[in-house]
Amino acid sequence: MLVATVFSYPVRPPVVLSSFRKPKLDPYRLCFSYRPLKLKVSAAKEPLPGELQTSLPVSDGGKSFQEENKDESVDFGWLPAFPHVLLASMSNFLFGYHIGVMNGPIVSVARELGFEGDPILEGLVVSIFIAGAFIGSISCGSLVDKLGCRRTFQVDTIPLILGAFISAQAHSLSEILLGRFLVGLGIGVNTVLLPIYISEVAPTKYRGSLGTLNSTGTCLGIIASLFLGIPSETDPHWWRTILYIAAVPAFALSLGMQFSVESPRWLCKVGRLDDAKEVICKIWGPSEVERAMENFQSVIKDDGSDAGSRWLELLEEPHSRVAFVGGSLYLLQQFAGINGILYFSSLTFKDVGVASGALASLFVGLTNFAGSLCASYLMDKEGRKKLLVSSYLGMAVSMLVAACAISFPVDEDLSHNLSVIGILMYIFTFAIGAGPVTGIIIPELSSSKMRAKIMGFSLSVHWVCNFLVGLFFLNLIEIFGVAPVYSGFGSVSVLAAIFAYYFIVETRGRSLEEIEMSLNPNLPAKDKQ
């Protein structure tokens, strides 16, 4: 994963919605089923002053920092929350770093630790990371519910730091496996925790753009590990140094989270109301405090968020629907081939004369980073659903270009160049939507009570599918050939675009509480006006 849904039809007649602060209006309520979801709507009325006429409820977000400055050409409403989100995104920088850190040095590691030439053991050193990540993802939900986001980030740096040191000092296969497992355990927790933290801390208007720091951090981590890994081509012991370096961001994350804000929603859920008000005032603005606290407490009271959550509740309505959508999105994301392409893209680059695996990976990392930057600009302008559908369609076209270039080589040089262009297009379009949107949309659709556990379940599906793709990709290439496998990835991308079109509701511009009230049929309906 580089960073990981519901359905709307056009509504007739147009529905008029007022601000969420007017509770007498009946908000949209989505009736979940595994068939395409339908909307229950009230009859249209003449718009009142200040009301919105739209097919989906859009929050006005209240009056916060960005609205206090009337000059809309300079909008710094994202700035108070940005340092906290940026620091938390260091957790995904570590994710990207540990993805790339073993790419080059694995040969040196195998030679020094005595398992050189054994592809199974070499693969085990890499894949044990995924096993740890799976367990970390499952355990994260309970940790967040009990400790909150800040403390969970800090506790999670323990396996990350220990794993880095144990791996760097390893003198046997068992030691390197233990270190990699501990690192994977920490990464699994972070990949669940970071999207939750961003969704609950970021202002509504900027939640999508700030959420793309999730995947941007991963990209920067991969690029950093590739640059730092270059000396390993000449120094057989350099791998120990770069594994020691991995502990530095973990230390910085642990220290920095001491000065970061806690999720105001978690603070409210555990009864720390004064602390929640202080955080809201600090990152959203004083004018948001009263409205936000009213909305938080209303949802907590109605869905019992203060009573804790159990894993078995994932089987109950409406949490089962969101868990189904979250797991499906990550399953489709992985079987659309992203990690197969990323893990083995160097094979394609070798065909066009790029013999250095590090250089090939650098091309891939920079392309992914460029796509993430575009996503940060487009996420809150175009919306999640549009980006996700467009991204998967772009991935399908890219795989078609690569497959055709390989299957119908009119000219050898042209064929090779087109195949590389297809792969880079695939990675770029993935980074615009399929990567970042998946990690943003799931916590947005989840209820306050079950957000951590739904994310944990969804990411556990991701790690299982990630492992399967990495395990069988080369075997599929040997059996069927490159072009058919790429065509298969393109077909899954088309399927994912269809799924996103029919099972995603747009969440842009809507607070998490508005979304929850719209999606949860168990919450009591407000009195109709």
Side-chain angles (χ1 to χ4, degrees):
M1 162 184 154
L2 280 182
V3 200
T5 297
V6 261
F7 199 37
S8 63
Y9 283 121
V11 180
R12 290 194 305 285
V15 178
V16 177
L17 297 163
S18 69
S19 168
F20 183 71
R21 288 172 290 177
K22 297 181 180 180
K24 291 186 177 180
L25 288 179
D26 187 14
Y28 270 75
R29 309 181 68 81
L30 286 177
C31 300
F32 277 96
S33 70
Y34 292 112
R35 299 185 299 274
L37 303 173
K38 298 181 180 179
L39 296 172
K40 286 185 179 180
V41 297
S42 56
K45 301 177 183 179
E46 289 299 320
L48 299 175
E51 291 186 323
L52 300 173
Q53 183 167 336
T54 178
S55 59
L56 282 173
V58 179
S59 169
D60 62 358
K63 189 177 181 182
S64 60
F65 284 115
Q66 66 269 20
E67 294 179 64
E68 291 173 1
N69 186 347
K70 299 300 182 181
D71 182 9
E72 295 186 359
S73 63
V74 181
D75 187 351
F76 293 108
W78 51 271
L79 191 57
F82 179 75
H84 307 280
V85 173
L86 181 65
L87 181 64
S89 298
M90 193 176 293
S91 62
N92 259 33
F93 176 89
L94 279 165
F95 175 37
Y97 188 90
H98 282 291
I99 286 176
V101 75
M102 295 301 289
N103 279 354
I106 185 63
V107 176
S108 299
V109 174
R111 184 181 299 120
E112 187 168 344
L113 299 185
F115 56 92
E116 183 180 11
D118 190 330
I120 294 179
L121 292 181
E122 290 180 6
L124 183 61
V125 170
V126 176
S127 61
I128 195 70
F129 172 89
I130 297 178
F134 174 83
I135 296 174
S137 295
I138 289 293
S139 63
C140 182
S142 299
L143 286 174
V144 175
D145 287 341
K146 292 178 181 178
L147 302 178
C149 293
R150 285 178 64 231
R151 290 290 175 258
T152 304
F153 271 122
Q154 292 179 312
V155 169
D156 188 50
T157 59
I158 296 173
L160 288 168
I161 294 169
L162 283 178
F165 275 105
I166 291 173
S167 300
Q169 295 178 349
H171 293 285
S172 67
L173 176 62
S174 59
E175 289 177 341
I176 193 74
L177 288 176
L178 175 61
R180 291 289 290 171
F181 177 82
L182 288 174
V183 166
L185 192 67
I187 293 300
V189 172
N190 279 342
T191 52
V192 173
L193 181 58
L194 180 59
I196 294 172
Y197 182 76
I198 294 176
S199 69
E200 296 195 351
V201 167
T204 297
K205 183 177 178 181
Y206 307 100
R207 193 173 60 235
S209 297
L210 291 175
T212 59
L213 289 176
N214 187 336
S215 55
T216 303
T218 305
C219 298
L220 291 176
I222 292 172
I223 293 171
S225 68
L226 294 174
F227 271 118
L228 291 173
I230 291 174
S232 65
E233 297 181 1
T234 55
D235 184 352
H237 304 295
W238 182 251
W239 62 273
R240 295 186 183 275
T241 302
I242 57 179
L243 286 174
Y244 277 125
I245 292 173
V248 176
F251 275 117
L253 177 63
S254 180
L255 178 62
M257 289 310 296
Q258 190 65 33
F259 304 97
S260 297
V261 298
E262 179 56 88
S263 161
R265 291 173 169 92
W266 182 82
L267 290 171
C268 192
K269 185 164 63 174
V270 297
R272 295 168 55 182
L273 303 184
D274 290 339
D275 291 338
K277 292 176 183 178
E278 183 179 346
V279 170
I280 294 168
C281 182
K282 183 176 182 179
I283 61 175
W284 296 352
S287 59
E288 285 286 283
V289 174
E290 183 178 349
R291 185 189 70 89
M293 290 298 295
E294 180 183 346
N295 293 345
F296 293 172
Q297 291 178 300
S298 175
V299 168
I300 289 171
K301 178 182 177 181
D302 289 335
D303 72 356
S305 300
D306 55 341
S309 60
R310 296 174 294 107
W311 278 104
L312 288 177
E313 290 182 67
L314 285 181
L315 303 176
E316 300 174 1
E317 304 286 352
H319 312 304
S320 59
R321 266 63 171 201
V322 181
F324 163 76
V325 168
S328 298
L329 278 181
Y330 273 116
L331 182 146
L332 291 167
Q333 181 200 70
Q334 291 303 301
F335 287 127
I338 182 58
N339 281 312
I341 299 298
L342 292 172
Y343 292 158
F344 305 106
S345 59
S346 58
L347 299 177
T348 301
F349 282 90
K350 284 181 181 179
D351 290 338
V352 294
V354 182
S356 171
L359 185 59
S361 297
L362 185 59
F363 279 132
V364 170
L366 291 174
T367 302
N368 194 45
F369 180 64
S372 296
L373 291 180
C374 292
S376 67
Y377 175 77
L378 295 172
M379 191 70 67
D380 286 316
K381 294 183 180 295
E382 300 298 329
R384 284 56 152 166
K385 179 175 180 177
K386 186 175 182 179
L387 277 185
L388 193 57
V389 173
S390 301
S391 172
Y392 275 119
L393 291 177
M395 291 163 64
V397 171
S398 302
M399 284 291 92
L400 179 63
V401 169
C404 290
I406 294 168
S407 300
F408 309 105
V410 178
D411 177 83
E412 185 175 358
D413 290 338
L414 177 63
S415 174
H416 287 162
N417 290 333
L418 281 177
S419 63
V420 169
I421 290 172
I423 288 177
L424 293 180
M425 283 175 52
Y426 174 91
I427 294 167
F428 182 80
T429 51
F430 171 87
I432 285 180
V437 172
T438 305
I440 292 170
I441 196 76
I442 298 173
E444 288 183 331
L445 295 173
S446 304
S447 68
S448 177
K449 182 178 183 179
M450 295 297 294
R451 186 168 292 124
K453 288 184 170 60
I454 289 174
M455 278 300 297
F457 167 77
S458 301
L459 264 298
S460 67
V461 172
H462 162 270
W463 290 116
V464 170
C465 297
N466 185 325
F467 175 78
L468 292 175
V469 170
L471 181 65
F472 292 111
F473 180 79
L474 290 180
N475 287 337
L476 291 174
I477 293 291
E478 288 182 9
I479 296 171
F480 300 105
V482 175
V485 171
Y486 281 7
S487 299
F489 289 158
S491 300
V492 175
S493 297
V494 172
L495 182 62
I498 295 172
F499 182 88
Y501 181 81
Y502 284 106
F503 286 88
I504 289 283
V505 66
E506 185 54 65
T507 56
R508 175 187 57 163
R510 304 169 69 192
S511 73
L512 297 183
E513 287 67 41
E514 284 179 288
I515 297 169
E516 181 170 355
M517 293 196 68
S518 297
L519 300 181
N520 192 343
N522 296 328
L523 292 178
K526 304 295 183 183
D527 296 331
K528 293 182 181 181
Q529 197 174 48

